[in-house]
Amino acid sequence: MTPTTTTPDQPRSYSSPLPTPRPHLGHALASEWTKLISIRSTLWTLGALVLTVVGIGLLFVTQSVDRDYESISFTTPALFGLMVGQVAVMVLGVLTIASEHATGLVRTTFTAAPDRFRVLTAKYFVFSITAFVATTLSVFVVGIAAMLAHAGSAAGPHAADEWLGAAAGCLYVTLLGVLALAVGALVRHSAGAIAVMLGVVTLPPVIGAMLTVWEAVAPIGRAVLQRNVPVALSQLFGMQESDMGPAPSNLSNLLIIMLITGAAVAASYVVVGRRDV
């Protein structure tokens, strides 16, 4: 038999012995989860969230009596810590994407996974699930502690609604974190995105109070005061008191944050898909 020879102009074919499956969303999810749990900022921000919510909540529980829970829910003590802990959720949302732009590793990410929409979708999924679970567990630990310590209160008949409201409040905070991730994708700068999110939380009450001074724009000011983040969280956790007229429904507060977050997420897909790294 005549041996087969390969000429220099004839390319040799190569077949990898390793399996080469087509990339899919599951691969991106695994990659983003590995990134999230590998960086120290995740430990610090989630640790700050848990310590703040649980610590302040349990402190409130120890200083309260059974009679207090006739007017508030068992989950209300967690609200005071969550007002501060929401900042940690927003910071983690920003860092989930902005830190890659700061270090330049986003180029490596998009080189290994050219489908940018898949990468961004994985970031949203991994972050939102992590933030919601951490927030919900922290709030429910405080709620269970309050229930065990003050089981003789009159709040028991409304317990189901109270827990649902607390879960909705955790969803609200998670959506704030998703909004922060979207802003981080748009701004690509950690400090700038965090500053924007702090403004979203802190400026509306100030602006609303200023607008109520002028009679012409006072209705707008009252609406802003009724629909800012602290008021929305308070209402979701069962604190409905308002000096600005009838309080908006919990559903409307969730709908507003969903619409704002959805618009920011849609904008992040458009911008990330079109611009250079």
Side-chain angles (χ1 to χ4, degrees):
M1 296 179 62
T2 303
T4 303
T5 59
T6 303
T7 62
D9 296 334
Q10 183 179 357
R12 297 183 179 181
S13 61
Y14 172 77
S15 178
S16 173
L18 301 175
T20 55
R22 181 181 295 274
H24 53 75
L25 181 61
H27 297 140
L29 290 172
S31 174
E32 294 303 324
W33 172 250
T34 301
K35 291 179 190 177
L36 190 66
I37 64 176
S38 300
I39 56 177
R40 286 176 293 180
S41 60
T42 302
L43 176 63
W44 285 106
T45 51
L46 289 182
L49 168 67
V50 174
L51 287 176
T52 302
V53 176
V54 176
I56 296 178
L58 293 182
L59 180 62
F60 183 92
V61 171
T62 59
Q63 299 299 316
S64 58
V65 297
D66 290 356
R67 196 175 334 131
D68 295 331
Y69 294 88
E70 295 177 2
S71 57
I72 64 175
S73 67
F74 288 124
T75 58
T76 299
L79 171 64
F80 302 103
L82 194 59
M83 288 290 191
V84 180
Q86 65 181 333
V87 176
V89 177
M90 293 186 294
V91 169
L92 180 60
V94 170
L95 295 179
T96 298
I97 189 168
S99 59
E100 287 194 62
H101 286 284
T103 59
L105 289 178
V106 69
R107 296 184 178 88
T108 304
T109 297
F110 288 149
T111 300
D115 190 339
R116 298 187 177 189
F117 291 165
R118 183 188 299 143
V119 173
L120 196 56
T121 301
K123 286 184 181 293
Y124 281 123
F125 268 108
V126 170
F127 167 78
S128 59
I129 293 173
T130 302
F132 182 74
V133 170
T135 305
T136 303
L137 289 179
S138 301
V139 169
F140 276 51
V141 165
V142 177
I144 292 172
M147 183 178 292
L148 293 176
H150 304 284
S153 70
H158 307 288
D161 294 337
E162 295 167 3
W163 292 105
L164 287 175
C170 295
L171 175 61
Y172 191 98
V173 173
T174 301
L175 289 172
L176 284 176
V178 174
L179 177 60
L181 200 161
V183 171
L186 295 171
V187 177
R188 295 186 296 179
H189 191 273
S190 300
I194 292 172
V196 170
M197 291 307 302
L198 290 177
V200 168
V201 174
T202 60
L203 287 182
V206 177
I207 295 175
M210 294 174 58
L211 292 177
T212 56
V213 175
W214 291 278
E215 190 63 30
V217 292
I220 299 175
R222 287 191 289 269
V224 172
L225 288 176
Q226 287 184 329
R227 297 182 182 276
N228 57 70
V229 172
V231 171
L233 280 177
S234 298
Q235 292 171 351
L236 289 169
F237 275 82
M239 301 178 66
Q240 299 288 345
E241 291 81 3
S242 176
D243 297 330
M244 307 302 298
S249 67
N250 297 340
L251 182 61
S252 66
N253 289 324
L254 277 176
L255 181 60
I256 290 173
I257 191 64
M258 285 180 180
L259 291 176
I260 295 174
T261 303
V265 169
S268 70
Y269 276 101
V270 173
V271 172
V272 171
R274 289 184 177 181
R275 72 183 174 198
D276 294 334
V277 177

Coordinates of all heavy atoms in Angstrom, one line a residue, residues 128-188:
S128 N -30.6 38.9 41.3 CA -31.9 39.0 41.9 C -32.3 37.9 42.8 O -32.9 38.1 43.9 CB -33.0 39.1 40.8 OG -32.9 38.0 39.9
I129 N -31.9 36.6 42.5 CA -32.2 35.5 43.3 C -31.4 35.6 44.6 O -32.0 35.4 45.7 CB -32.0 34.2 42.6 CG1 -32.9 34.0 41.5 CG2 -32.1 33.0 43.6 CD1 -32.7 32.8 40.6
T130 N -30.2 35.9 44.5 CA -29.3 36.1 45.7 C -29.8 37.2 46.6 O -29.9 37.0 47.9 CB -27.9 36.3 45.3 OG1 -27.4 35.3 44.4 CG2 -26.9 36.4 46.5
A131 N -30.1 38.3 46.1 CA -30.6 39.4 46.9 C -31.9 39.1 47.6 O -32.1 39.4 48.7 CB -30.7 40.7 46.0
F132 N -32.8 38.5 46.8 CA -34.2 38.3 47.4 C -34.1 37.2 48.5 O -34.7 37.4 49.6 CB -35.1 37.8 46.3 CG -36.5 37.5 46.8 CD1 -37.4 38.5 47.1 CD2 -37.0 36.2 47.0 CE1 -38.7 38.3 47.5 CE2 -38.2 35.9 47.4 CZ -39.1 37.0 47.7
V133 N -33.3 36.2 48.3 CA -33.1 35.2 49.3 C -32.5 35.7 50.6 O -33.0 35.5 51.7 CB -32.3 34.0 48.8 CG1 -32.0 33.0 49.9 CG2 -33.1 33.2 47.7
A134 N -31.4 36.5 50.4 CA -30.7 37.1 51.6 C -31.6 38.0 52.3 O -31.7 38.0 53.6 CB -29.5 37.8 51.2
T135 N -32.3 38.9 51.6 CA -33.2 39.8 52.2 C -34.4 39.2 52.9 O -34.7 39.5 54.1 CB -33.8 40.8 51.2 OG1 -32.7 41.4 50.5 CG2 -34.6 41.9 51.8
T136 N -35.0 38.2 52.3 CA -36.2 37.5 52.8 C -35.8 36.7 54.1 O -36.5 36.8 55.1 CB -36.8 36.6 51.8 OG1 -37.1 37.3 50.6 CG2 -38.1 35.9 52.3
L137 N -34.7 36.0 54.0 CA -34.3 35.2 55.2 C -34.0 36.2 56.4 O -34.4 35.8 57.6 CB -33.1 34.4 54.9 CG -33.3 33.2 54.0 CD1 -32.0 32.5 53.7 CD2 -34.3 32.2 54.6
S138 N -33.4 37.3 56.2 CA -33.1 38.2 57.2 C -34.3 38.8 57.9 O -34.5 38.8 59.1 CB -32.2 39.4 56.7 OG -31.0 38.9 56.2
V139 N -35.3 39.2 57.0 CA -36.5 39.7 57.5 C -37.3 38.7 58.3 O -37.9 38.9 59.4 CB -37.4 40.3 56.4 CG1 -38.8 40.6 56.8 CG2 -36.7 41.5 55.8
F140 N -37.4 37.5 57.8 CA -38.2 36.4 58.4 C -37.5 35.9 59.7 O -38.3 35.5 60.6 CB -38.4 35.3 57.4 CG -39.5 35.5 56.5 CD1 -39.6 36.6 55.8 CD2 -40.5 34.5 56.4 CE1 -40.7 36.9 54.9 CE2 -41.6 34.7 55.5 CZ -41.7 35.9 54.8
V141 N -36.2 36.0 59.8 CA -35.6 35.7 61.1 C -36.1 36.7 62.2 O -36.4 36.3 63.3 CB -34.1 35.7 61.0 CG1 -33.4 35.8 62.4 CG2 -33.6 34.5 60.2
V142 N -36.1 37.9 61.8 CA -36.6 38.9 62.8 C -38.1 38.7 63.1 O -38.5 38.8 64.3 CB -36.3 40.4 62.3 CG1 -36.9 41.4 63.2 CG2 -34.8 40.6 62.0
G143 N -38.9 38.5 62.1 CA -40.3 38.2 62.3 C -40.6 37.1 63.2 O -41.5 37.1 64.0
I144 N -39.9 36.0 63.0 CA -40.1 34.8 63.8 C -39.6 35.0 65.2 O -40.3 34.6 66.2 CB -39.3 33.6 63.2 CG1 -39.9 33.2 61.9 CG2 -39.3 32.4 64.2 CD1 -39.2 32.1 61.1
A145 N -38.5 35.8 65.4 CA -38.1 36.1 66.7 C -39.1 37.0 67.4 O -39.4 36.8 68.6 CB -36.7 36.9 66.7
A146 N -39.7 37.9 66.7 CA -40.8 38.8 67.3 C -42.0 37.9 67.7 O -42.6 38.1 68.8 CB -41.2 39.9 66.4
M147 N -42.3 37.0 66.9 CA -43.5 36.1 67.1 C -43.2 35.3 68.3 O -44.1 35.1 69.2 CB -43.8 35.3 65.9 CG -45.0 34.4 66.0 SD -45.4 33.5 64.5 CE -45.9 34.8 63.4
L148 N -42.0 34.7 68.5 CA -41.7 33.9 69.6 C -41.7 34.6 70.9 O -42.1 34.2 72.0 CB -40.4 33.1 69.4 CG -40.4 32.1 68.2 CD1 -39.0 31.5 68.1 CD2 -41.4 31.0 68.5
A149 N -41.1 35.9 70.8 CA -41.0 36.7 72.0 C -42.3 37.3 72.5 O -42.4 37.6 73.7 CB -39.9 37.7 71.8
H150 N -43.2 37.6 71.5 CA -44.4 38.3 71.9 C -45.6 37.6 71.3 O -46.5 38.2 70.7 CB -44.3 39.8 71.3 CG -43.1 40.5 71.8 ND1 -43.0 41.1 73.0 CD2 -42.0 40.8 71.1 CE1 -41.9 41.7 73.2 NE2 -41.2 41.5 72.0
A151 N -45.7 36.3 71.6 CA -46.8 35.5 71.0 C -48.2 35.9 71.6 O -49.2 35.5 71.0 CB -46.5 34.0 71.2
G152 N -48.2 36.6 72.7 CA -49.5 37.0 73.3 C -50.1 38.2 72.7 O -51.1 38.7 73.3
S153 N -49.5 38.8 71.7 CA -50.1 40.0 71.1 C -51.4 39.7 70.3 O -51.7 38.6 70.0 CB -49.1 40.7 70.2 OG -48.9 40.0 69.0
A154 N -52.0 40.8 69.9 CA -53.3 40.7 69.1 C -53.1 40.7 67.6 O -54.0 40.8 66.9 CB -54.3 41.8 69.5
A155 N -51.8 40.6 67.2 CA -51.6 40.7 65.8 C -51.7 39.3 65.0 O -51.7 39.3 63.8 CB -50.1 41.2 65.5
G156 N -51.9 38.3 65.8 CA -52.0 36.9 65.2 C -53.0 36.8 64.1 O -52.7 36.2 63.1
P157 N -54.3 37.2 64.2 CA -55.3 37.0 63.1 C -54.9 37.5 61.8 O -55.4 37.1 60.8 CB -56.5 37.7 63.7 CG -56.3 37.8 65.1 CD -54.9 37.9 65.4
H158 N -54.0 38.5 61.7 CA -53.6 39.1 60.4 C -52.2 38.6 60.0 O -51.5 39.3 59.2 CB -53.6 40.6 60.5 CG -54.9 41.2 61.0 ND1 -56.0 41.2 60.2 CD2 -55.2 41.7 62.2 CE1 -57.0 41.7 60.9 NE2 -56.6 42.1 62.1
A159 N -51.7 37.5 60.6 CA -50.3 37.1 60.4 C -50.1 36.8 58.9 O -49.0 37.2 58.4 CB -50.0 35.9 61.2
A160 N -51.0 36.2 58.2 CA -50.8 35.8 56.8 C -50.6 37.1 56.0 O -49.6 37.1 55.2 CB -52.0 35.0 56.3
D161 N -51.4 38.1 56.1 CA -51.2 39.3 55.4 C -49.9 40.0 55.7 O -49.3 40.6 54.9 CB -52.4 40.3 55.7 CG -53.7 39.8 55.1 OD1 -53.7 38.9 54.2 OD2 -54.8 40.2 55.6
E162 N -49.5 39.9 57.0 CA -48.3 40.6 57.4 C -47.1 39.9 56.8 O -46.2 40.6 56.3 CB -48.1 40.4 59.0 CG -49.2 41.2 59.7 CD -49.2 40.8 61.2 OE1 -48.4 40.0 61.6 OE2 -50.1 41.4 61.9
W163 N -47.0 38.6 56.7 CA -45.9 37.9 56.1 C -45.9 38.1 54.6 O -44.8 38.3 54.0 CB -46.0 36.4 56.4 CG -45.8 36.0 57.8 CD1 -46.7 35.7 58.7 CD2 -44.5 36.1 58.5 NE1 -46.1 35.5 59.9 CE2 -44.8 35.7 59.8 CE3 -43.2 36.4 58.1 CZ2 -43.7 35.6 60.8 CZ3 -42.2 36.3 59.1 CH2 -42.5 35.9 60.4
L164 N -47.1 38.2 53.9 CA -47.1 38.5 52.5 C -46.6 39.9 52.3 O -45.9 40.2 51.3 CB -48.5 38.3 52.0 CG -49.0 36.9 51.8 CD1 -50.5 36.9 51.4 CD2 -48.2 36.2 50.8
G165 N -47.0 40.9 53.1 CA -46.5 42.2 53.0 C -45.0 42.3 53.1 O -44.3 43.1 52.4
A166 N -44.5 41.5 54.1 CA -43.0 41.5 54.3 C -42.3 41.0 53.1 O -41.3 41.5 52.6 CB -42.6 40.7 55.5
A167 N -42.9 39.9 52.5 CA -42.3 39.3 51.3 C -42.3 40.3 50.1 O -41.4 40.4 49.3 CB -43.0 38.0 50.9
A168 N -43.4 41.1 50.0 CA -43.5 42.1 49.0 C -42.5 43.2 49.2 O -41.9 43.8 48.3 CB -44.9 42.7 49.0
G169 N -42.2 43.5 50.5 CA -41.2 44.5 50.8 C -39.8 44.0 50.4 O -39.0 44.8 49.9
C170 N -39.6 42.7 50.6 CA -38.3 42.2 50.2 C -38.2 42.2 48.7 O -37.1 42.5 48.1 CB -38.2 40.7 50.7 SG -38.1 40.6 52.5
L171 N -39.3 41.9 48.0 CA -39.3 42.0 46.5 C -39.0 43.5 46.1 O -38.3 43.7 45.1 CB -40.6 41.6 46.0 CG -40.8 41.7 44.5 CD1 -39.8 40.9 43.7 CD2 -42.2 41.3 44.1
Y172 N -39.6 44.4 46.8 CA -39.3 45.9 46.5 C -37.9 46.2 46.6 O -37.3 46.8 45.7 CB -40.2 46.7 47.5 CG -40.2 48.2 47.1 CD1 -41.4 48.7 46.4 CD2 -39.2 49.1 47.4 CE1 -41.4 50.0 46.1 CE2 -39.3 50.4 47.1 CZ -40.4 50.9 46.4 OH -40.5 52.2 46.1
V173 N -37.2 45.8 47.7 CA -35.8 46.0 47.9 C -35.0 45.3 46.8 O -34.0 45.9 46.3 CB -35.3 45.6 49.3 CG1 -33.8 45.7 49.4 CG2 -36.0 46.5 50.3
T174 N -35.4 44.1 46.4 CA -34.7 43.4 45.4 C -34.7 44.1 44.1 O -33.8 44.2 43.3 CB -35.2 42.0 45.2 OG1 -35.1 41.3 46.5 CG2 -34.5 41.2 44.1
L175 N -35.9 44.7 43.8 CA -36.1 45.5 42.5 C -35.2 46.7 42.6 O -34.7 47.1 41.5 CB -37.5 45.8 42.3 CG -38.5 44.7 42.0 CD1 -39.9 45.1 42.0 CD2 -38.1 44.1 40.6
L176 N -35.0 47.3 43.7 CA -34.1 48.4 43.8 C -32.7 48.0 43.5 O -31.9 48.7 42.8 CB -34.1 49.0 45.2 CG -35.3 49.9 45.6 CD1 -35.2 50.3 47.1 CD2 -35.4 51.1 44.8
G177 N -32.3 46.8 43.9 CA -31.0 46.2 43.6 C -30.9 46.0 42.1 O -29.8 46.2 41.5
V178 N -31.9 45.4 41.5 CA -31.9 45.2 40.0 C -31.8 46.5 39.3 O -31.1 46.6 38.3 CB -33.2 44.4 39.6 CG1 -33.2 44.3 38.1 CG2 -33.2 43.0 40.2
L179 N -32.5 47.5 39.8 CA -32.4 48.9 39.2 C -30.9 49.4 39.3 O -30.4 50.0 38.4 CB -33.3 49.8 39.9 CG -33.3 51.3 39.5 CD1 -33.6 51.5 38.0 CD2 -34.2 52.1 40.3
A180 N -30.3 49.1 40.4 CA -28.9 49.5 40.6 C -28.0 48.8 39.6 O -27.0 49.4 39.1 CB -28.5 49.2 42.0
L181 N -28.3 47.5 39.4 CA -27.5 46.8 38.4 C -27.6 47.4 37.0 O -26.6 47.5 36.3 CB -27.9 45.3 38.4 CG -26.9 44.3 37.8 CD1 -27.3 42.9 38.3 CD2 -26.9 44.3 36.3
A182 N -28.9 47.7 36.7 CA -29.1 48.3 35.4 C -28.4 49.7 35.2 O -27.8 50.0 34.2 CB -30.6 48.5 35.1
V183 N -28.4 50.5 36.3 CA -27.7 51.8 36.3 C -26.2 51.6 36.2 O -25.5 52.3 35.5 CB -28.1 52.6 37.6 CG1 -27.2 53.8 37.7 CG2 -29.6 53.0 37.6
G184 N -25.7 50.5 36.9 CA -24.3 50.2 36.7 C -23.9 49.8 35.3 O -22.8 50.2 34.8
A185 N -24.8 49.1 34.6 CA -24.5 48.7 33.2 C -24.6 50.0 32.3 O -23.8 50.0 31.3 CB -25.6 47.7 32.8
L186 N -25.4 50.9 32.7 CA -25.5 52.1 31.8 C -24.3 53.1 32.1 O -23.8 53.7 31.2 CB -26.8 52.8 32.1 CG -28.1 52.1 31.7 CD1 -29.3 52.8 32.2 CD2 -28.1 51.9 30.2
V187 N -24.0 53.3 33.4 CA -23.0 54.3 33.8 C -21.6 53.7 33.7 O -20.6 54.4 33.3 CB -23.3 54.7 35.2 CG1 -22.2 55.7 35.7 CG2 -24.6 55.4 35.3
R188 N -21.4 52.4 34.0 CA -20.1 51.7 33.9 C -19.1 52.3 34.9 O -17.9 52.2 34.7 CB -19.5 51.7 32.5 CG -20.3 51.0 31.5 CD -19.6 50.9 30.2 NE -19.4 52.2 29.6 CZ -18.8 52.4 28.4 NH1 -18.3 51.4 27.7 NH2 -18.7 53.7 27.9

